[in-house]
Amino acid sequence: SPGTSPAEGESAWGLQGGVKPLWDFQCEDEIRSSPAVHRDLVYVGAHDNNLYALNLEDGSFRWKFPTERSIVSTPAIAEQEQLVVFGSLDNTLYALDMRTGRREWTVITRGPIQSSPAIAHGHVFFGSDDGTLYAVRLSNGQVQWRWDGASEIRTRPLVTGDLIVIGLTSGDVVGTDLSGKVVWRFKAKRSVLSSPVAHEGLVIFGSSDWQVYALDLGHGWRVWEHRTSKPVILSLIHI
C-alpha cells in the first residue's frame, strides 16, 4: 500500500511533543534492519520476506522483491553498477537493479545471511552464518574468494583501503587484507555482533562481554576498552 499522510497516520504513531511523521508505509511484518537511501528511493527489508523500494518524498510504493525468508540485512548501494545488494535468511545474497527491482545475480551460501554487505573496490564483502567471509565481484556476482572463520559472521565488514575487519560470534575480531589473508586477530570474551567502525586509526566495536573496544587498525592491538552495564549488540555510529 502507498505511504499515508501525517493526518492519516497520526493516531497510529501515538505522537507526543508535536513530532509528526512526513509519511509512513505499512509493511506486512516487522522491520529489523536499517533502511538505505539513494537519491529519490528508500530501500528496506522486512520479516515479510520482501525488500521494498519506496519513494523518498512521500513514502509511496515503487516496487518490492520477494525472497524465501526474512530479511535482517541492511541493503548496500553500488552506485556505479546501479545495484542494491542485501542478504536474506534464505542463505542468499541478492543484487537487484535499483530502479526496477529486477534480479541481476545471486550468491548462495550455506547459512542464513544476517550480515549487512559492504561495497568497496568493485566488490561486495559480507559474512554468513556458515562462518564464511565472501568477496564477490559486483559486475557479475562471481565469488572472488572466501575466508573461513569457523563461526557465524553477523557484522557488516569494515573495509578500508587495504584492510577488511569483521566480528564473529566466537568473539574473534579479524583483520584481513583485500585477498582474505589474515593480518591480525583479537579475541573478546564473548560474541561480537556490533559492526566495527574506524576512527583516527582505531577500529571500535562492542561485544556481548559488556565491553566497547578500541584497537589499532593496522595491527589489532588493544588501545583501550570501556566497561558497559549490559552486553553491546548494536553497531556503533561514526559521526
Side-chain angles (χ1 to χ4, degrees):
S1 61
T4 58
S5 66
E8 293 170 327
E10 188 168 332
S11 60
W13 282 74
L15 299 173
Q16 297 180 3
V19 178
K20 296 183 179 181
L22 296 176
W23 54 260
D24 62 75
F25 179 87
Q26 185 68 47
C27 298
E28 297 170 15
D29 206 337
E30 62 191 55
I31 297 170
R32 293 189 180 180
S33 63
S34 299
V37 178
H38 180 69
R39 296 183 180 175
D40 61 339
L41 290 179
V42 178
Y43 304 92
V44 63
H47 266 267
D48 61 18
N49 303 356
N50 291 302
L51 183 83
Y52 292 88
L54 311 175
N55 288 306
L56 178 61
E57 183 177 1
D58 60 6
S60 58
F61 176 82
R62 180 71 68 90
W63 54 258
K64 69 178 179 179
F65 180 89
T67 71
E68 296 298 320
R69 291 189 63 192
S70 300
I71 300 169
V72 298
S73 167
T74 295
I77 303 298
E79 185 170 12
Q80 183 174 347
E81 293 79 10
Q82 293 291 290
L83 297 175
V84 54
V85 185
F86 65 98
S88 169
L89 299 189
D90 66 7
N91 301 9
T92 306
L93 184 83
Y94 295 87
L96 311 181
D97 182 291
M98 65 170 56
R99 306 304 299 183
T100 66
R102 183 183 69 246
R103 180 168 58 186
E104 297 295 334
W105 50 259
T106 59
V107 173
I108 298 175
T109 74
R110 295 168 294 156
I113 299 174
Q114 303 191 54
S115 166
S116 299
I119 304 292
H121 310 299
H123 291 73
V124 54
F125 302 91
F126 71 98
S128 169
D129 277 12
D130 65 11
T132 304
L133 172 67
Y134 293 83
V136 178
R137 188 180 294 276
L138 282 167
S139 60
N140 56 16
Q142 180 180 352
V143 177
Q144 293 297 104
W145 53 260
R146 300 172 176 86
W147 176 79
D148 183 9
S151 181
E152 295 94 339
I153 301 171
R154 295 177 177 174
T155 58
R156 181 201 301 271
L158 166 65
V159 186
T160 69
D162 56 5
L163 201 67
I164 305 165
V165 183
I166 52 168
L168 293 84
T169 58
S170 62
D172 290 293
V173 176
V174 177
T176 78
D177 64 18
L178 297 182
S179 68
K181 180 181 178 181
V182 174
V183 176
W184 55 257
R185 184 188 297 264
F186 175 85
K187 181 75 171 181
K189 297 180 180 68
R190 294 187 181 178
S191 62
V192 176
L193 303 174
S194 166
S195 296
V197 297
H199 178 68
E200 295 184 353
L202 300 177
V203 55
I204 305 172
F205 60 92
S207 169
S208 297
D209 67 7
W210 298 26
Q211 300 279 3
V212 174
Y213 294 95
L215 311 180
D216 179 88
L217 181 59
H219 301 91
W221 301 327
R222 177 165 44 193
V223 177
W224 55 258
E225 62 186 62
H226 175 76
R227 178 78 171 178
T228 66
S229 59
K230 292 289 183 179
V232 181
I233 59 174
L234 293 178
S235 300
L236 307 177
I237 299 176
H238 183 202
I239 300 177

